[in-house]
Amino acid sequence: MNFSRRETMALGAGALAMTMLPVQAFAATGDDAIAEFTGGADVMDGGVTLTAPEIAENGNTVPISVEAEGATAIMVLAMGNPTPGVATFNFGELAGSQSASTRIRLAGTQDVVAIAKMADGSFAKASQNVKVTIGGCGG
Amino acid sequence: MNFKTMTFVGVVAMALPAVGAAEPDDDTLILNGEIEMTTKAPAPAHLEDVMDTVMSGWHFRSDETQVMQADDFDNPGMMYAEQGREIWNTAEGSEDKSCASCHGTPDESMQKVRATYPKWNDEAEEVRTIQMQVNDCRENRMGAEPWAYDKEGALPMEALIASVGRGETVDVATDGPAEAMWEQGKELYYTRTGQLELGCVNCHEDSYGMMIRADHLSQGQINGFPVYRLKNARLTGAHSRFKGCIRDTRAETYSPGSPEFVALELYVASRGNGLSVEGPSVRN
Amino acid sequence: MAEGVRPRVKAPRSAEAGEVVMIKTLISHKMESGQRKDSDGNQIPRSIINRFVCAFNGTNVIDVTMEPAISTNPYFEFEATVPEAGEFQFTWYDDDGSVYEDAKPVEVG
């Protein structure tokens, strides 16, 4: 599997190959995004809460919320989307709390990840698997 | 019965062995913390021998989707109702009139409209949907262009008119001059069509509460129309939804605004008699 | 996409000094992700709102970097502290260079 991926990417047909690979392949870019945000620092579990439905009614509009007390920023990623970035919430001086809610698009069943950057420079992570289904009546 | 249909139904049922009938929930819908909505009601007389209770599509949706509808800010359908209000107040056409010129504020003048439409119009001698009536006003009283069905300003206007009627009880007339069209709508509802040989009845009367793949089948009520659908993040009208459903059964479908869909809308609306007007609602 | 884009904001009209209030924002925008194809099979280019900022009397409350995975009609709910009377300023930045704004005054006391 690895060899053929490198070969095809070298041929510049990477885009085509990526569409045929399982969803895990996109996680590579998700991990890159996390590394960029954290600068490679360790990420603890806990310290950030991610609320998302277990089963999304429709992948086009999925309500989520994040909260991390004492965070300066929270980055949200959809690890299985074609591009994993979803949003980064940067909290200013007049933020009433380090929390936010929004509605996002999920291309399929996948892990949604929230990484919080804390005021002391450390990082915290939460992850939840969200099932995205195909409707029966024409989607 | 067509063998092909039985095979299809058999395949769908077997594909979901563990998920039998998922019951609609028991939650209560209170709008903006103020208006308590009737989302379940005893079935109207004409349905008494096929079901006991009529239920709004709201009950078949996930908790997150239900919550979206309970607040006018969270409900994206209300953005369209606001657009409708702007259109209401804008003068158009050769007579330079707006809806407001004759009808004042919609909150009063239009409050009972959504609950009783589609309705027989004596002067025109036909059953009219809200959009048909609005277009009649536009053409003949404002001197403006009528809107194409479910297009242009039609859906925001229908969203406005529905929104000011929320909480009113649906009460569509099925007798008198509307009866012939109501019977026509009923026949359309109960007739199997298309490659999949399905009629509205097969899913929305025989199978509501069950899962079709991952969709939770509702009773197909239209008290919540026009609907903000999560799947395409925009407002959908009843006729467009009928068309989509019929297309999904792989049948030749009618057009929004056609007499067949007017008849079907009249009949389907009457199946919800007793429920509250909910539009614009939020659904899958 | 600069047509038909409308911001809506829900914020309290008055608050106690130092109170934490909830703010909700919604803006009608298609958020074309860049993943869709048109009927000829050509990729429809990305065209989204890529940033949302809320400030109070010029001091930042929240600054959101937005990607194509934010749903059509972007919605945000967050909390803000109101130190004194003033005005909330809301700004959305579009890929195409358009900037959409809204403001809500708040009384204190």
Side-chain angles (χ1 to χ4, degrees):
Chain A
M1 209 29 152
N2 271 345
F3 276 117
S4 64
R5 192 172 91 190
R6 279 199 201 110
E7 273 175 13
T8 44
M9 279 182 76
L11 287 169
L16 184 58
M18 297 267 276
T19 61
M20 298 193 287
L21 289 169
V23 165
Q24 274 84 26
F26 295 128
T29 358
D31 288 333
D32 289 341
I34 295 177
E36 205 180 306
F37 186 61
T38 62
D42 282 330
V43 184
M44 310 172 305
D45 266 317
V48 52
T49 316
L50 166 65
T51 309
E54 267 184 58
I55 305 179
E57 177 102 69
N58 190 292
N60 202 26
T61 312
V62 184
I64 62 157
S65 55
V66 290
E67 180 169 2
E69 208 176 309
T72 55
I74 304 179
M75 180 171 77
V76 180
L77 299 162
M79 301 304 269
N81 272 2
T83 52
V86 176
T88 305
F89 299 96
N90 298 291
F91 301 106
E93 198 184 307
L94 286 183
S97 63
Q98 291 76 44
S99 64
S101 304
T102 185
R103 297 170 186 160
I104 69 174
R105 295 171 174 153
L106 296 177
T109 297
Q110 61 186 284
D111 286 333
V112 177
V113 172
I115 313 262
K117 179 175 183 175
M118 310 307 266
D120 63 5
S122 65
F123 292 88
K125 170 178 158 184
S127 168
Q128 188 183 310
N129 188 259
V130 179
K131 294 198 200 337
V132 176
T133 57
I134 300 177
C137 305
Chain B
M1 233 208 257
N2 188 311
F3 181 68
K4 229 196 303 186
T5 312
M6 287 178 75
T7 318
F8 167 78
V9 169
V11 166
V12 168
M14 283 173 67
L16 305 163
V19 191
E23 290 308 308
D25 63 30
D26 252 326
D27 300 333
T28 311
L29 174 58
I30 301 180
L31 280 190
N32 302 320
E34 285 169 359
I35 313 175
E36 188 167 330
M37 307 285 274
T38 305
T39 51
K40 285 189 187 175
H46 67 94
L47 285 183
E48 260 160 20
D49 42 358
V50 295
M51 55 175 79
D52 293 324
T53 313
V54 286
M55 291 184 248
S56 161
W58 184 79
H59 282 289
F60 297 84
R61 302 274 63 88
S62 73
D63 290 339
E64 294 84 18
T65 309
Q66 291 181 327
V67 156
M68 257 198 232
Q69 200 186 317
D71 178 281
D72 274 0
F73 190 90
D74 290 351
N75 181 344
M78 285 305 288
M79 278 196 311
Y80 293 85
E82 273 177 28
Q83 255 182 56
R85 201 175 279 269
E86 277 175 38
I87 299 173
W88 177 275
N89 290 319
T90 307
E92 260 190 272
S94 60
E95 306 303 304
D96 201 35
K97 284 194 188 155
S98 67
C99 315
S101 310
C102 296
H103 292 289
T105 42
D107 310 76
E108 286 159 25
S109 57
M110 298 289 120
Q111 194 184 10
K112 312 273 180 193
V113 170
R114 181 68 183 82
T116 53
Y117 266 73
K119 192 173 177 174
W120 178 263
N121 183 299
D122 265 332
E123 220 182 284
E125 287 186 359
E126 61 178 3
V127 169
R128 283 197 172 165
T129 62
I130 291 178
Q131 287 186 34
M132 288 164 73
Q133 184 57 46
V134 167
N135 275 342
D136 175 52
C137 272
R138 285 180 65 80
E139 261 189 297
N140 301 319
R141 281 173 267 284
M142 287 166 68
E145 288 295 310
W147 288 318
Y149 217 90
D150 276 0
K151 295 221 153 60
E152 304 174 84
L155 285 176
M157 182 56 64
E158 200 176 323
L160 170 68
I161 292 175
S163 72
V164 301
R166 285 177 298 172
E168 291 292 314
T169 307
V170 176
D171 186 17
V172 169
T174 61
D175 54 6
E179 191 172 344
M181 205 150 210
W182 184 84
E183 292 286 353
Q184 186 192 358
K186 183 171 175 181
E187 202 182 311
L188 284 166
Y189 195 90
Y190 281 90
T191 307
R192 290 177 183 270
T193 56
Q195 248 190 2
L196 297 184
E197 291 235 14
L198 290 174
C200 317
V201 56
N202 303 113
C203 286
H204 294 297
E205 187 177 288
D206 297 336
S207 315
Y208 70 85
M210 288 162 68
M211 303 298 287
I212 180 165
R213 283 206 268 176
D215 249 352
H216 197 183
L217 274 178
S218 72
Q219 287 185 346
Q221 300 289 357
I222 57 174
N223 62 314
F225 272 75
V227 163
Y228 184 85
R229 294 195 68 192
L230 297 180
K231 90 161 205 169
N232 53 17
R234 59 157 201 263
L235 215 60
T236 303
H239 290 205
S240 296
R241 190 67 182 100
F242 292 159
K243 178 175 166 185
C245 266
I246 295 177
R247 184 205 55 217
D248 291 340
T249 63
R250 303 188 203 153
E252 197 70 55
T253 175
Y254 303 104
S255 305
S258 62
E260 288 86 359
F261 276 170
V262 175
L264 188 58
E265 187 184 334
L266 172 61
Y267 176 69
V268 176
S270 79
R271 288 176 73 94
N273 280 349
L275 296 172
S276 293
V277 169
E278 251 181 74
S281 61
V282 181
R283 303 279 189 262
N284 190 347
Chain C
M1 181 198 119
E3 265 196 56
V5 180
R6 271 144 196 226
R8 293 170 88 217
V9 175
K10 186 169 176 181
R13 279 180 225 176
S14 65
E16 308 283 315
E19 191 183 338
V20 170
V21 299
M22 166 147 22
I23 310 247
K24 295 188 186 186
T25 69
L26 185 63
I27 185 166
S28 57
H29 191 288
K30 208 160 157 205
M31 297 293 280
E32 190 61 71
S33 65
Q35 298 290 331
R36 294 199 313 156
K37 294 204 164 81
D38 62 19
S39 44
D40 293 324
N42 303 314
Q43 195 138 34
I44 305 174
R46 162 184 153 152
S47 181
I48 67 166
I49 292 182
N50 57 50
R51 187 173 170 215
F52 165 71
V53 178
C54 169
F56 184 80
N57 286 349
T59 305
N60 187 243
V61 174
I62 197 170
D63 188 331
V64 189
T65 312
M66 296 161 62
E67 309 274 359
I70 297 287
S71 296
T72 302
N73 302 330
Y75 170 88
F76 292 117
E77 184 184 311
F78 52 92
E79 292 189 317
T81 311
V82 180
E84 64 207 355
E87 194 180 70
F88 278 111
Q89 295 113 8
F90 306 93
T91 319
W92 292 259
Y93 298 87
D94 197 314
D95 275 351
D96 71 4
S98 308
V99 178
Y100 315 106
E101 291 174 319
D102 200 350
K104 289 281 182 209
V106 184
E107 287 173 4
V108 159

